[in-house]
Amino acid sequence: MNVDGTPYRTIWLAEDGWAVMIIDQTRLPFEFVTRRLETVSDAATAIADMWVRGAPLIGATAAYGMALAMHGDASDAGLKKAYDDLMATRPTAVNLRWALNEMRVLLAPLSAEQRAEAAYKRAAEIADEDVAICSAIGDNGMPLIAEHWARHGKVRPVNVLTHCNAGWLATVDWGTALAPIYKAHDAGIDVHVWVDETRPRNQGASLTAWELGQHGVPHTVIADNVGGHLMQHGQVDLCITGTDRTAASGDVCNKIGTYLKALAAHDNNVPFYVALPGPTIDWTMHDGVHQIPIEQRSPDEVTRMTGRTDGGEITTVTITPDGSPAANFAFDVTPARLVTGLITERGVAEASETGLKGLYPEQG
Ligand code: MRU
């Protein structure tokens, strides 16, 4: 995707061919800052402190983190420590485990001399595969938007509501939930996006709004509580969100607040789609609500907010009374029964084990 007209991915190799470059997403939308990662510890910090975030990009960063580790210490001990340190960064997005396991299975049997080259090669493949997967998600999801466009006589925009950021910033390129929107927009379909602000970290207000704006997609930022009202009044044609972990049952775990949107959509007969790449499916889990680990982050993210003053200064303020405790659950699970369909790189599936296995028959 383009930033001020220049094409970017969210992660790439530096010119020296070994360090890893990322966009520091904590600085958006006010500043576009890239950062250089040189060690596995840098990569772990980038994931834990959310310089990079979004399930697929967490996976790609972890893969490059393993490559950085092998560049520094390709011993068996170095491999184990890198795997353990990266695995401990964030608990919910299963792409992290998927990417780390891919790397460990590849690297463990190799000699220390062979590991760095193999690790960089596989990390690059994981990044390239993510781009191809997300592009295919866009192709498979775009007809759902086109259908609404045609149904309403192509005279008014198709209104899509999304939550958090499941755009290109959350992946290597294209995004998951936003990929069908970009493809529809590029195909000349009039699409408008309701962007949930997504408290507490405001990934919608800060990141989704920014990247839609960079691509010229019409959008409106709304407070998190607005979606139900809009759906009651026919102002949402469909919802599309991402997911950090999809149980084999079709339950989807995504940014906190997604479940409430799905409930409102269900009550108002608004289709609720979830877009996901294959590596986001956790085939070992069959009850997402009770099995998927939910990350709890610092209460400071709830009690404090960062923004830009009219004078242009970026500052953080406290919004709660001194002494009021806060809790920060980062994700929730939407049961499969509330999901209209799962948009994947292989097509659109019913949100069920049968539906998913129809698209991924190799899972048996
Ligand atoms: O905490 P975050 O910002 O990493 O959460 C991201 C999301 O919830 C996304 O919707 C999800 O990772 C899907 S990304 C394509």
Side-chain angles (χ1 to χ4, degrees):
M1 289 291 169
N2 290 343
V3 178
D4 294 334
T6 304
Y8 273 91
R9 284 185 175 187
T10 53
I11 189 163
W12 65 97
L13 274 189
E15 278 180 10
D16 56 25
W18 67 271
V20 175
M21 301 298 296
I22 55 151
I23 299 165
D24 182 348
Q25 300 192 20
T26 65
R27 308 285 283 274
L28 289 170
F30 307 119
E31 296 170 315
F32 182 78
V33 176
T34 61
R35 280 200 191 225
R36 180 179 163 92
L37 310 180
E38 297 191 345
T39 63
V40 62
S41 160
D42 290 347
T45 303
I47 297 171
D49 290 355
M50 295 177 66
W51 306 347
V52 293
R53 25 68 54 205
L57 180 56
I58 289 171
T61 308
Y64 272 115
M66 292 292 279
L68 289 170
M70 296 302 96
H71 182 263
D73 171 10
S75 67
D76 285 354
L79 179 60
K80 181 176 183 324
K81 182 163 171 21
Y83 180 94
D84 291 346
D85 288 354
L86 288 163
M87 187 68 94
T89 50
R90 293 193 73 191
T92 301
V94 78
N95 307 56
L96 176 70
R97 185 183 77 193
W98 172 83
L100 289 174
N101 286 344
E102 287 276 311
M103 299 300 281
R104 186 170 64 177
V105 165
L106 171 78
L107 299 174
L110 301 182
S111 69
E113 292 70 37
Q114 295 171 312
R115 282 177 177 164
E117 189 183 340
Y120 277 102
K121 183 167 174 288
R122 183 68 189 119
E125 283 168 7
I126 285 175
D128 287 346
E129 283 164 17
D130 184 63
V131 178
I133 284 174
C134 288
S135 177
I137 289 172
D139 293 335
N140 292 332
M142 194 263 261
L144 300 169
I145 298 174
E147 185 188 311
H148 283 273
W149 173 238
R151 189 183 303 168
H152 297 292
K154 305 186 179 181
V155 293
R156 67 146 177 89
V158 180
N159 289 302
V160 182
L161 182 141
T162 194
H163 192 71
C164 193
N165 174 261
W168 75 269
L169 288 169
T171 64
V172 179
D173 206 348
W174 281 111
T176 56
L178 297 195
I181 291 168
Y182 288 129
K183 298 254 177 178
H185 175 82
D186 291 352
I189 293 171
D190 194 0
V191 56
H192 164 265
V193 186
W194 295 112
V195 179
D196 282 354
E197 64 176 342
T198 319
R199 279 281 291 147
R201 286 187 67 100
N202 296 323
Q203 290 96 326
S206 299
L207 304 178
T208 299
W210 180 80
E211 63 163 272
L212 288 173
Q214 288 288 328
H215 200 80
V217 179
H219 61 277
T220 306
V221 179
I222 50 175
D224 284 329
N225 303 324
V226 175
H229 167 78
L230 292 176
M231 291 186 218
Q232 282 176 325
H233 291 273
Q235 295 193 61
V236 180
D237 293 303
L238 69 163
C239 303
I240 312 180
T241 74
T243 165
D244 284 78
R245 191 184 297 226
T246 306
S249 52
D251 302 332
V252 288
C253 180
N254 192 49
K255 182 53 53 191
I256 193 77
T258 303
Y259 172 47
L260 288 176
K261 294 295 148 14
L263 282 172
H266 185 72
D267 196 44
N268 290 284
N269 290 318
V270 172
F272 189 91
Y273 288 97
V274 177
L276 59 118
T280 303
I281 306 169
D282 186 341
W283 297 100
T284 70
M285 291 195 173
H286 300 272
D287 174 359
V289 175
H290 297 104
Q291 289 183 306
I292 296 177
I294 301 295
E295 177 179 20
Q296 289 191 55
R297 296 184 60 84
S298 165
D300 288 356
E301 293 180 352
V302 175
T303 60
R304 294 162 73 77
M305 282 182 87
T306 299
R308 187 176 57 193
T309 65
D310 290 345
E313 186 195 352
I314 295 166
T315 191
T316 300
V317 296
T318 299
I319 59 167
T320 53
D322 291 343
S324 283
N328 188 5
F329 296 89
F331 296 94
D332 61 25
V333 177
T334 299
R337 66 186 164 79
L338 299 177
V339 178
T340 308
L342 300 171
I343 308 169
T344 78
E345 71 277 16
R346 296 193 186 176
V348 181
E350 179 190 276
S352 67
E353 188 143 355
T354 311
L356 279 172
K357 286 199 171 151
L359 290 184
Y360 298 89
E362 70 274 22
Q363 296 298 331

